Amino acid sequence: MLREMSATYGRSSLGYLWAILEPVAGIFLLTFVFSLAFRSPSLGTSFPLFFATGILPFMAYMDVSNKMSVALRYSKQLLFYPGVTYTDALIARFLLNAITSIMIAVILLPLIIIFYDLNVIIDMKAIAWGYMLAFALGAGIGTLNCFLLSVLPIWERAWAVLNRPLFLVSGVIVLFDTVPLPYRDWMWWNPLTHPIGLVRKGIYSTYDATYVSSVYVLAVSGVTLALGLLLLRRYHRDIINF
């Protein structure tokens, strides 16, 4: 984890500050654009809080899955040591990025609430569970992609193309409940929609989020994680020696 910290955040003079500035820039860019066209967001009265509750869990998933997907590539030299295994590389990247995402949320959400003087009744259990689902999904997808990216170089570009519309169809910008049918039904099958909805439920006490299915997200996460670990267990030596 120390190696990952120095490699990821130690190269820039901004370091961990950039990890906070990146979501801040996204939140306020969306706030600026949408406040020109709408008087209020789909939920509540604050554009920054609405977009923060979507962007932060979305980025938590993306950071975990993206960093875990290249864990073997960036730790290849270390894996030649008998005491270091591929699971060490995966766990280190998961823990570092999960802790970083939690740190960002703990800093930004209270700052937005205090700065804009918002009256919010927070459900910490819902927020925590929403983040756990985002981390679980990121770990599952990241582990499976760790194998696929190692054996199929073309998958990296294909996955990047598939991920481009993810920001738009995960409920980050548009509230799930406001999406017209049948697109709302299609959107439900995107597992990332559920942790984002759960985090919003934790911030907005009047928001029900009855569509959220933890079982579905955990099923997708479990299947992808198990498949990724099985494939890596069988082929990790071939990948390292390639």
Side-chain angles (χ1 to χ4, degrees), residues 168-188:
L168 300 175
V169 298
S170 299
V172 176
I173 298 177
V174 181
L175 196 65
F176 175 84
D177 308 77
T178 62
V179 176
L181 294 172
Y183 308 108
R184 191 192 312 169
D185 292 336
W186 300 347
M187 188 174 169
W188 187 92

Side-chain angles (χ1 to χ4, degrees), residues 141 144-162:
I141 299 296
L144 181 57
N145 276 342
C146 186
F147 169 77
L148 293 175
L149 265 63
S150 300
V151 299
L152 298 172
I154 195 174
W155 177 247
E156 187 164 6
R157 292 195 176 188
W159 183 250
V161 172
L162 291 172

Side-chain angles (χ1 to χ4, degrees), residues 5-41:
M5 287 174 66
S6 62
T8 305
Y9 300 104
R11 295 176 181 176
S12 169
S13 57
L14 291 175
Y16 265 99
L17 184 59
W18 178 249
I20 299 172
L21 291 177
E22 187 177 2
V24 167
I27 291 166
F28 285 101
L29 177 61
L30 289 174
T31 297
F32 173 74
V33 172
F34 278 83
S35 61
L36 295 177
F38 303 96
R39 295 184 62 182
S40 62

Side-chain angles (χ1 to χ4, degrees), residues 6-157:
S6 62
T8 305
Y9 300 104
R11 295 176 181 176
S12 169
S13 57
L14 291 175
Y16 265 99
L17 184 59
W18 178 249
I20 299 172
L21 291 177
E22 187 177 2
V24 167
I27 291 166
F28 285 101
L29 177 61
L30 289 174
T31 297
F32 173 74
V33 172
F34 278 83
S35 61
L36 295 177
F38 303 96
R39 295 184 62 182
S40 62
S42 303
L43 194 62
T45 58
S46 170
F47 279 105
L49 185 61
F50 177 76
F51 289 127
T53 55
I55 288 176
L56 294 181
F58 177 84
M59 291 188 66
Y61 157 78
M62 290 296 291
D63 287 345
V64 169
S65 62
N66 287 343
K67 293 298 174 61
M68 289 185 68
S69 66
V70 292
L72 293 190
R73 182 186 302 173
Y74 283 97
S75 301
K76 191 172 183 179
Q77 299 303 320
L78 281 177
L79 297 178
F80 285 108
Y81 291 95
V84 182
T85 67
Y86 66 95
T87 54
D88 295 327
L90 290 171
I91 292 171
R93 289 214 148 195
F94 172 80
L95 289 176
L96 175 60
N97 289 282
I99 292 170
T100 302
S101 297
I102 293 170
M103 176 198 73
I104 293 169
V106 168
I107 292 173
L108 288 186
L109 288 175
L111 278 179
I112 292 172
I113 292 169
I114 294 169
F115 184 80
Y116 289 95
D117 193 23
L118 302 173
N119 186 20
V120 178
I121 301 174
I122 296 177
D123 182 355
M124 286 301 301
K125 184 179 178 181
I127 297 173
W129 186 239
Y131 264 85
M132 288 299 294
L133 291 179
F135 292 147
L137 186 61
I141 299 296
T143 303
L144 181 57
N145 276 342
C146 186
F147 169 77
L148 293 175
L149 265 63
S150 300
V151 299
L152 298 172
I154 195 174
W155 177 247
E156 187 164 6
R157 292 195 176 188

